[in-house]
Every structure is written in structure tokens, then in C-alpha cells.
Coordinates of all heavy atoms in Angstrom, one line a residue:
Q18 N -212.1 17.2 -49.8 CA -212.4 17.7 -48.5 C -211.1 18.5 -48.0 O -211.3 19.5 -47.3 CB -212.8 16.6 -47.6 CG -214.1 16.0 -48.0 CD -214.3 14.7 -47.3 OE1 -213.4 14.0 -46.9 NE2 -215.6 14.3 -47.2
L19 N -210.0 17.9 -48.2 CA -208.8 18.6 -47.7 C -208.6 19.9 -48.4 O -208.1 20.9 -47.8 CB -207.5 17.7 -47.9 CG -207.4 16.6 -46.9 CD1 -206.2 15.8 -47.2 CD2 -207.3 17.1 -45.5
A20 N -208.8 20.0 -49.7 CA -208.7 21.3 -50.4 C -209.6 22.3 -49.9 O -209.3 23.5 -49.7 CB -209.0 21.1 -51.9
G21 N -210.8 21.9 -49.5 CA -211.8 22.8 -48.9 C -211.3 23.3 -47.5 O -211.4 24.5 -47.2
L22 N -210.7 22.4 -46.7 CA -210.2 22.8 -45.4 C -209.0 23.7 -45.6 O -208.9 24.7 -44.9 CB -209.8 21.6 -44.6 CG -209.1 21.8 -43.3 CD1 -209.9 22.8 -42.4 CD2 -208.9 20.5 -42.6
C23 N -208.2 23.5 -46.6 CA -207.0 24.4 -46.9 C -207.6 25.8 -47.2 O -207.0 26.8 -46.8 CB -206.2 23.8 -48.0 SG -205.3 22.3 -47.5
A24 N -208.6 25.8 -48.1 CA -209.2 27.1 -48.4 C -209.7 27.8 -47.2 O -209.6 29.1 -47.1 CB -210.3 26.9 -49.5
L25 N -210.4 27.1 -46.3 CA -210.9 27.8 -45.1 C -209.8 28.3 -44.2 O -209.9 29.4 -43.7 CB -211.7 26.8 -44.3 CG -213.1 26.4 -44.9 CD1 -213.7 25.2 -44.1 CD2 -214.0 27.5 -44.9
L26 N -208.7 27.5 -44.1 CA -207.5 28.0 -43.4 C -206.9 29.3 -44.0 O -206.6 30.2 -43.3 CB -206.5 26.9 -43.3 CG -206.8 25.7 -42.4 CD1 -205.8 24.6 -42.6 CD2 -206.9 26.1 -40.9
L27 N -206.8 29.3 -45.3 CA -206.3 30.5 -46.0 C -207.2 31.7 -45.9 O -206.7 32.8 -45.8 CB -206.0 30.1 -47.4 CG -204.7 29.3 -47.7 CD1 -204.6 28.9 -49.1 CD2 -203.5 30.1 -47.3
D28 N -208.5 31.4 -45.9 CA -209.5 32.5 -45.7 C -209.3 33.1 -44.3 O -209.4 34.3 -44.2 CB -210.9 32.0 -45.9 CG -211.9 33.1 -45.9 OD1 -211.7 34.1 -46.7 OD2 -212.9 33.0 -45.2
A29 N -209.1 32.3 -43.3 CA -209.0 32.7 -41.9 C -207.6 33.4 -41.7 O -207.5 34.4 -40.9 CB -209.1 31.6 -41.0
E30 N -206.6 32.9 -42.4 CA -205.3 33.5 -42.2 C -204.5 33.5 -43.6 O -203.8 32.5 -43.8 CB -204.5 32.8 -41.1 CG -203.3 33.5 -40.7 CD -202.7 32.9 -39.4 OE1 -203.5 32.6 -38.5 OE2 -201.5 32.8 -39.3
P31 N -204.7 34.5 -44.4 CA -204.1 34.5 -45.8 C -202.6 34.3 -45.9 O -202.1 33.9 -46.9 CB -204.6 35.8 -46.3 CG -205.7 36.2 -45.5 CD -205.5 35.7 -44.2
G32 N -201.9 34.6 -44.8 CA -200.4 34.5 -44.9 C -199.9 33.1 -44.7 O -198.6 33.0 -44.7
L33 N -200.7 32.1 -44.5 CA -200.2 30.8 -44.2 C -199.5 30.2 -45.4 O -199.9 30.4 -46.6 CB -201.3 29.8 -43.9 CG -202.0 30.0 -42.5 CD1 -203.2 29.1 -42.4 CD2 -201.1 29.8 -41.4
S34 N -198.3 29.6 -45.2 CA -197.6 29.0 -46.3 C -198.1 27.5 -46.4 O -198.7 27.0 -45.5 CB -196.1 29.0 -46.0 OG -195.8 28.1 -44.9
P35 N -197.7 26.9 -47.5 CA -198.1 25.4 -47.6 C -197.5 24.6 -46.4 O -198.2 23.7 -45.9 CB -197.4 25.0 -48.9 CG -197.5 26.3 -49.8 CD -197.2 27.4 -48.8
R36 N -196.3 25.0 -46.0 CA -195.7 24.3 -44.9 C -196.5 24.5 -43.6 O -196.7 23.5 -42.8 CB -194.3 24.8 -44.7 CG -193.6 24.2 -43.4 CD -192.2 24.7 -43.2 NE -191.3 23.8 -43.9 CZ -190.1 24.1 -44.1 NH1 -189.5 25.2 -43.7 NH2 -189.3 23.2 -44.7
D37 N -197.0 25.7 -43.4 CA -197.8 26.0 -42.2 C -199.1 25.2 -42.2 O -199.5 24.6 -41.2 CB -198.2 27.5 -42.2 CG -197.1 28.4 -42.0 OD1 -196.0 28.0 -41.4 OD2 -197.2 29.6 -42.5
I38 N -199.7 25.1 -43.4 CA -201.0 24.4 -43.5 C -200.8 22.9 -43.3 O -201.5 22.3 -42.5 CB -201.6 24.7 -44.9 CG1 -202.1 26.1 -45.0 CG2 -202.8 23.7 -45.1 CD1 -202.6 26.5 -46.3
K39 N -199.7 22.4 -43.8 CA -199.4 20.9 -43.6 C -199.2 20.7 -42.1 O -199.7 19.7 -41.6 CB -198.2 20.5 -44.4 CG -197.9 19.1 -44.4 CD -196.8 18.7 -45.3 CE -196.5 17.3 -45.4 NZ -195.4 16.9 -46.3
A40 N -198.5 21.5 -41.5 CA -198.2 21.3 -40.0 C -199.5 21.4 -39.2 O -199.7 20.6 -38.3 CB -197.3 22.4 -39.5
I41 N -200.4 22.3 -39.6 CA -201.7 22.4 -38.9 C -202.5 21.2 -39.1 O -203.1 20.6 -38.1 CB -202.5 23.7 -39.3 CG1 -201.8 25.0 -38.8 CG2 -203.9 23.6 -38.9 CD1 -202.3 26.2 -39.5
L42 N -202.6 20.7 -40.3 CA -203.4 19.5 -40.6 C -202.8 18.3 -39.9 O -203.6 17.5 -39.3 CB -203.4 19.2 -42.1 CG -204.1 20.3 -43.0 CD1 -204.0 19.9 -44.5 CD2 -205.6 20.4 -42.6
R43 N -201.5 18.1 -39.8 CA -200.9 17.0 -39.1 C -201.2 17.1 -37.6 O -201.5 16.1 -36.9 CB -199.4 16.9 -39.4 CG -199.1 16.3 -40.7 CD -197.6 16.1 -40.8 NE -197.4 15.0 -41.7 CZ -196.3 14.8 -42.3 NH1 -195.3 15.6 -42.2 NH2 -196.1 13.8 -43.1
R44 N -201.0 18.3 -37.1 CA -201.1 18.5 -35.6 C -202.5 18.3 -35.1 O -202.7 17.9 -34.0 CB -200.6 19.9 -35.3 CG -200.5 20.3 -33.9 CD -199.8 21.6 -33.6 NE -200.3 22.8 -34.4 CZ -199.7 23.4 -35.3 NH1 -198.5 23.0 -35.7 NH2 -200.2 24.4 -35.9
T45 N -203.5 18.6 -36.0 CA -204.9 18.5 -35.5 C -205.7 17.3 -36.0 O -206.9 17.2 -35.7 CB -205.6 19.8 -35.9 OG1 -205.6 19.9 -37.4 CG2 -205.0 21.0 -35.3
A46 N -205.0 16.4 -36.8 CA -205.7 15.2 -37.3 C -206.1 14.3 -36.2 O -205.4 14.2 -35.1 CB -204.8 14.5 -38.3
R47 N -207.2 13.6 -36.4 CA -207.7 12.6 -35.4 C -207.0 11.3 -35.8 O -207.2 10.8 -36.9 CB -209.2 12.4 -35.5 CG -209.9 13.6 -35.0 CD -211.4 13.2 -34.9 NE -212.2 14.4 -35.0 CZ -213.5 14.4 -35.2 NH1 -214.2 13.2 -35.2 NH2 -214.2 15.5 -35.3
D48 N -206.3 10.7 -34.9 CA -205.6 9.4 -35.1 C -206.6 8.3 -35.4 O -207.6 8.2 -34.8 CB -204.8 9.1 -33.9 CG -203.7 8.0 -34.2 OD1 -203.4 7.8 -35.4 OD2 -203.1 7.5 -33.3
V49 N -206.2 7.5 -36.4 CA -207.0 6.3 -36.7 C -206.2 5.1 -36.4 O -205.1 4.9 -36.9 CB -207.4 6.2 -38.2 CG1 -208.1 5.0 -38.6 CG2 -208.2 7.5 -38.6
I50 N -206.6 4.2 -35.4 CA -205.8 3.1 -35.0 C -206.3 1.8 -35.3 O -205.7 0.8 -35.1 CB -205.6 3.2 -33.4 CG1 -207.0 3.2 -32.7 CG2 -204.9 4.5 -33.1 CD1 -206.9 3.1 -31.2
A51 N -207.5 1.7 -36.0 CA -208.1 0.4 -36.4 C -208.1 0.3 -37.9 O -208.2 1.3 -38.6 CB -209.5 0.3 -35.9
G52 N -207.9 -0.9 -38.4 CA -208.0 -1.2 -39.8 C -206.6 -1.4 -40.4 O -205.6 -1.5 -39.8
H53 N -206.6 -1.4 -41.8 CA -205.4 -1.5 -42.5 C -205.5 -1.0 -43.9 O -206.6 -0.8 -44.4 CB -204.9 -3.0 -42.5 CG -206.0 -3.9 -43.1 ND1 -206.1 -4.1 -44.5 CD2 -206.9 -4.7 -42.6 CE1 -207.1 -4.9 -44.7 NE2 -207.6 -5.3 -43.6
A54 N -204.4 -0.8 -44.5 CA -204.4 -0.3 -45.9 C -204.8 -1.4 -46.9 O -204.8 -2.6 -46.5 CB -203.0 0.2 -46.3
N55 N -205.0 -1.1 -48.1 CA -205.3 -2.1 -49.1 C -204.2 -3.0 -49.2 O -203.0 -2.6 -49.3 CB -205.5 -1.3 -50.5 CG -206.0 -2.2 -51.6 OD1 -205.4 -3.3 -51.8 ND2 -207.0 -1.8 -52.3
P56 N -204.4 -4.3 -49.3 CA -203.4 -5.3 -49.4 C -202.4 -5.1 -50.6 O -201.3 -5.4 -50.6 CB -204.1 -6.7 -49.5 CG -205.4 -6.4 -48.8 CD -205.7 -5.0 -49.1
A57 N -202.9 -4.5 -51.6 CA -202.1 -4.2 -52.8 C -201.0 -3.2 -52.5 O -200.0 -3.1 -53.2 CB -203.0 -3.7 -54.0
S58 N -201.2 -2.4 -51.5 CA -200.2 -1.4 -51.1 C -199.0 -2.0 -50.3 O -198.1 -1.3 -50.0 CB -200.8 -0.2 -50.4 OG -201.3 -0.7 -49.1
D59 N -199.1 -3.2 -49.9 CA -198.2 -3.9 -49.0 C -197.4 -4.9 -49.8 O -198.0 -5.8 -50.3 CB -198.9 -4.5 -47.8 CG -198.0 -5.2 -46.8 OD1 -196.8 -5.1 -46.9 OD2 -198.6 -5.8 -45.9
P60 N -196.1 -4.8 -49.8 CA -195.3 -5.9 -50.5 C -195.6 -7.3 -50.0 O -195.5 -8.2 -50.8 CB -193.8 -5.5 -50.2 CG -193.9 -4.0 -49.9 CD -195.2 -3.8 -49.3
A61 N -195.9 -7.4 -48.8 CA -196.3 -8.8 -48.2 C -197.7 -9.2 -48.6 O -198.1 -10.3 -48.3 CB -196.1 -8.8 -46.7
G62 N -198.5 -8.2 -49.1 CA -199.8 -8.6 -49.5 C -200.9 -8.6 -48.4 O -202.0 -9.1 -48.6
R63 N -200.5 -8.2 -47.2 CA -201.5 -8.2 -46.1 C -202.2 -6.9 -45.8 O -203.2 -6.9 -45.1 CB -200.7 -8.7 -44.8 CG -200.3 -10.1 -44.9 CD -199.7 -10.6 -43.6 NE -198.5 -9.9 -43.3 CZ -197.2 -10.3 -43.6 NH1 -197.1 -11.4 -44.2 NH2 -196.2 -9.6 -43.2
G64 N -201.6 -5.8 -46.3 CA -202.1 -4.5 -45.9 C -201.5 -4.0 -44.7 O -201.5 -4.6 -43.7
I65 N -200.9 -2.8 -44.8 CA -200.2 -2.2 -43.7 C -201.2 -1.9 -42.6 O -202.2 -1.2 -42.9 CB -199.4 -0.9 -44.2 CG1 -198.4 -1.2 -45.3 CG2 -198.8 -0.2 -43.0 CD1 -197.9 0.0 -46.0
P66 N -200.9 -2.3 -41.4 CA -201.9 -2.1 -40.3 C -201.9 -0.6 -39.8 O -200.8 0.0 -39.8 CB -201.5 -3.0 -39.2 CG -200.0 -3.2 -39.4 CD -199.8 -3.1 -40.9
A67 N -203.0 -0.1 -39.4 CA -203.1 1.2 -38.7 C -202.5 1.0 -37.3 O -202.6 0.0 -36.7 CB -204.5 1.7 -38.7
G68 N -202.0 2.1 -36.8 CA -201.4 2.1 -35.5 C -201.5 3.5 -34.9 O -202.0 4.4 -35.5
T69 N -200.9 3.6 -33.7 CA -200.9 4.9 -33.0 C -200.0 5.8 -33.7 O -198.9 5.4 -34.1 CB -200.5 4.7 -31.6 OG1 -201.4 3.8 -30.9 CG2 -200.6 6.0 -30.8
G70 N -200.4 7.1 -33.9 CA -199.6 8.1 -34.6 C -199.6 7.9 -36.1 O -200.4 7.2 -36.6
E71 N -198.7 8.6 -36.8 CA -198.7 8.5 -38.2 C -198.2 7.1 -38.7 O -197.3 6.6 -38.1 CB -197.7 9.6 -38.8 CG -198.3 11.0 -38.7 CD -197.6 12.0 -39.6 OE1 -197.1 11.6 -40.7 OE2 -197.5 13.1 -39.2
D72 N -198.9 6.6 -39.7 CA -198.5 5.3 -40.2 C -198.8 5.2 -41.7 O -199.4 6.0 -42.2 CB -199.2 4.2 -39.4 CG -200.7 4.3 -39.4 OD1 -201.3 4.2 -40.5 OD2 -201.3 4.5 -38.3
G73 N -198.3 4.1 -42.3 CA -198.5 3.9 -43.7 C -199.9 3.6 -44.1 O -200.3 3.7 -45.3
A74 N -200.8 3.2 -43.2 CA -202.2 2.9 -43.5 C -203.1 4.1 -43.5 O -203.9 4.2 -44.4 CB -202.7 1.8 -42.6
T75 N -202.9 5.0 -42.5 CA -203.8 6.1 -42.4 C -203.2 7.5 -42.4 O -203.8 8.5 -42.1 CB -204.7 5.9 -41.1 OG1 -203.8 5.9 -40.0 CG2 -205.4 4.6 -41.1
G76 N -201.9 7.5 -42.6 CA -201.2 8.8 -42.6 C -201.3 9.4 -41.2 O -201.1 8.7 -40.2
A77 N -201.6 10.7 -41.2 CA -201.7 11.4 -39.9 C -203.1 11.2 -39.3 O -203.3 11.5 -38.1 CB -201.5 12.9 -40.1
G78 N -204.0 10.7 -40.1 CA -205.4 10.4 -39.6 C -206.4 11.2 -40.3 O -206.2 11.6 -41.5
L79 N -207.6 11.4 -39.7 CA -208.7 12.2 -40.3 C -208.6 13.6 -40.0 O -208.3 14.0 -38.9 CB -210.0 11.6 -39.8 CG -210.3 10.2 -40.1 CD1 -211.6 9.7 -39.3 CD2 -210.5 10.0 -41.6
A80 N -208.8 14.5 -41.0 CA -208.8 15.9 -40.8 C -209.9 16.3 -39.9 O -211.0 15.8 -40.0 CB -208.9 16.6 -42.2
D81 N -209.6 17.2 -38.9 CA -210.5 17.7 -38.0 C -210.7 19.2 -38.3 O -209.8 20.0 -37.9 CB -210.0 17.5 -36.6 CG -211.0 17.9 -35.5 OD1 -211.8 18.9 -35.7 OD2 -211.1 17.3 -34.4
V82 N -211.8 19.6 -38.9 CA -212.0 21.0 -39.4 C -212.0 21.9 -38.2 O -211.3 23.0 -38.2 CB -213.3 21.1 -40.2 CG1 -213.6 22.6 -40.5 CG2 -213.2 20.3 -41.4
D83 N -212.8 21.6 -37.2 CA -212.8 22.5 -36.0 C -211.5 22.7 -35.3 O -211.1 23.8 -35.0 CB -213.9 22.0 -35.0 CG -215.3 22.1 -35.5 OD1 -215.6 23.0 -36.3 OD2 -216.1 21.2 -35.1
A84 N -210.8 21.6 -35.1 CA -209.5 21.8 -34.5 C -208.5 22.5 -35.4 O -207.7 23.4 -34.8 CB -208.9 20.4 -34.2
A85 N -208.5 22.3 -36.7 CA -207.6 23.0 -37.6 C -207.9 24.5 -37.6 O -207.0 25.4 -37.5 CB -207.7 22.5 -39.0
L86 N -209.2 24.9 -37.7 CA -209.6 26.3 -37.7 C -209.3 27.0 -36.4 O -209.0 28.2 -36.3 CB -211.0 26.5 -38.1 CG -211.3 26.2 -39.5 CD1 -212.8 26.2 -39.8 CD2 -210.6 27.1 -40.5
G87 N -209.3 26.2 -35.3 CA -209.0 26.7 -34.0 C -207.5 27.1 -33.8 O -207.1 27.8 -32.9
Q88 N -206.7 26.7 -34.8 CA -205.2 27.0 -34.7 C -204.9 28.3 -35.4 O -203.8 28.8 -35.3 CB -204.5 25.9 -35.5 CG -204.6 24.5 -34.9 CD -203.7 24.4 -33.7 OE1 -202.5 24.6 -33.8 NE2 -204.2 24.0 -32.6
V89 N -205.9 28.9 -36.1 CA -205.6 30.2 -36.8 C -206.5 31.3 -36.3 O -207.6 31.0 -35.7 CB -205.8 30.0 -38.4 CG1 -204.8 29.0 -38.9 CG2 -207.2 29.5 -38.7
G90 N -206.1 32.5 -36.7 CA -206.9 33.7 -36.3 C -208.3 33.7 -36.3 O -209.1 34.1 -35.7

């Protein structure tokens, strides 16, 4: 899904660099604040909890296609 969104961004604005695309995706992601990562990913075995902003459980959040495309030409 992210590859498809990256292709849409490049189609809308071919001059975007990988850095530009990453910034757009992070800036427009929907934050996920509930849940936790797989317990196997946590040295303590509990699963890193999701929280506000970027975190180890959900990264920047869920990609928002409309918001990301709204950032380009």
C-alpha cells in the first residue's frame, strides 16, 4: 500500500525525492494511540505500547492517501 501511495505521489509531482516522500508520509499519517507491538519485538516481552506521536509500536501511524496527495501539485 505504501508503494502504491509513493507511486501516486510521484505521478502527481515527479520531482519528489525519497526524502520528500518520507516527509510527506510522516507529516500526513494518522496517529495510532491504542494497542501495542508484538511482544516478541520488546526485550521485556510485553510489546511496546502505542502512544501519541511516533513510537516503536506504530511508527508514524497509518498512511492517509488523501492528506498525502493534498500536499503535492
Side-chain angles (χ1 to χ4, degrees):
Q18 294 166 335
L19 284 177
L22 176 50
C23 291
L25 289 171
L26 289 170
L27 285 170
D28 187 52
E30 194 166 317
L33 291 172
S34 70
R36 174 182 268 170
D37 295 332
I38 292 173
K39 186 174 182 179
I41 291 168
L42 294 176
R43 281 189 153 156
R44 187 170 52 247
T45 60
R47 291 188 206 172
D48 197 13
V49 177
I50 59 172
H53 56 82
N55 186 313
S58 66
D59 180 7
R63 292 186 294 267
I65 300 167
T69 303
E71 287 195 37
D72 57 62
T75 63
L79 296 172
D81 184 327
V82 175
D83 290 331
L86 289 174
Q88 298 280 307
V89 295

